[in-house]
Amino acid sequence: MAIRTIREIGDPVLNKVSKEVKEVTPRIQDLIDDMFETMYEANGVGLAAPQVGILKRIVVIDTTGEDPILLINPRIVETSGEQTGNEGCLSVPGKTGIVTRPNYVKVVALDEELNEIEVEGEELLARALCHEIEHLDGHLYVEKVEGDLMDVEMIDDDEE
Ligand code: NI
């Protein structure tokens, strides 16, 4: 496993549409392992393959540090409710902004054996599912921010 370089806003790869995964080759298995390692090392709750420069529809998420979720070719099939709160992205370091998302999301995806799985999430997990899946279509949360993008330290004083 290896830590991969996280691409940052302004890198054109982040605005491209990723391709569906048809086969989990050893190379893709390595990519998945590296994505988890890279996400944990960066203290993120999610990472999409284009963020490490690979245009494939693969997402990893872990909102608690104990619930790793792998999604291949994910798509949102149901949403409900609404939540408004701060969001950030490993590709937009040091920044945060307010984004409104559904409070509940259901996703259909494939696991690493390419079996179909369903993942449901509320609150932070719902937010992460929406955010990461948007990366696969070349979108960053900054497009949806209400008001200004803020520096993280302006609101996260208590964590320092
Ligand atoms: Ni992101």
Side-chain angles (χ1 to χ4, degrees):
M1 296 218 288
I3 305 289
R4 304 220 182 181
T5 303
I6 297 177
R7 306 299 184 92
E8 295 186 0
I9 187 168
D11 188 321
V13 77
L14 293 173
N15 298 116
K16 298 199 165 131
V17 176
S18 292
K19 294 202 172 73
E20 296 229 324
V21 175
K22 302 236 162 71
E23 190 189 355
V24 178
T25 59
R27 204 177 154 137
I28 288 187
Q29 189 58 61
D30 284 347
L31 168 66
I32 291 166
D33 293 344
D34 290 354
M35 284 174 65
F36 275 111
E37 194 176 353
T38 303
M39 173 183 73
Y40 288 127
E41 205 261 345
N43 293 314
V45 299
L47 189 71
Q51 292 184 273
V52 293
I54 309 288
L55 289 169
K56 296 205 180 288
R57 301 187 82 82
I58 302 172
V59 159
V60 297
I61 291 175
D62 192 340
T63 56
T64 66
E66 295 172 354
D67 298 300
I69 298 171
L70 165 68
L71 302 170
I72 296 175
N73 303 340
R75 56 198 171 86
I76 293 171
V77 295
E78 199 179 319
T79 65
S80 69
E82 198 176 272
Q83 58 174 318
T84 297
N86 282 297
E87 195 159 317
C89 177
L90 294 175
S91 294
V92 191
K95 300 287 182 185
T96 184
I98 293 170
V99 182
T100 297
R101 299 283 192 185
N103 195 53
Y104 164 86
V105 174
K106 187 197 279 186
V107 169
V108 171
L110 303 176
D111 66 14
E112 51 202 325
E113 278 87 45
L114 300 184
N115 297 312
E116 192 168 283
I117 54 166
E118 235 179 53
V119 175
E120 293 177 291
E122 293 185 319
E123 299 175 2
L124 179 58
L125 180 53
R127 180 177 291 282
L129 289 165
C130 294
H131 176 118
E132 299 310 330
I133 291 170
E134 285 180 359
H135 273 298
L136 304 180
D137 289 315
H139 295 293
L140 298 179
Y141 83 97
V142 297
E143 298 165 28
K144 301 199 158 180
V145 164
E146 297 156 32
D148 294 326
L149 210 55
M150 296 169 281
D151 292 328
V152 167
E153 52 268 27
M154 286 171 68
I155 59 155
D156 268 354
D157 282 338
D158 53 341
E159 286 183 11
E160 301 204 338

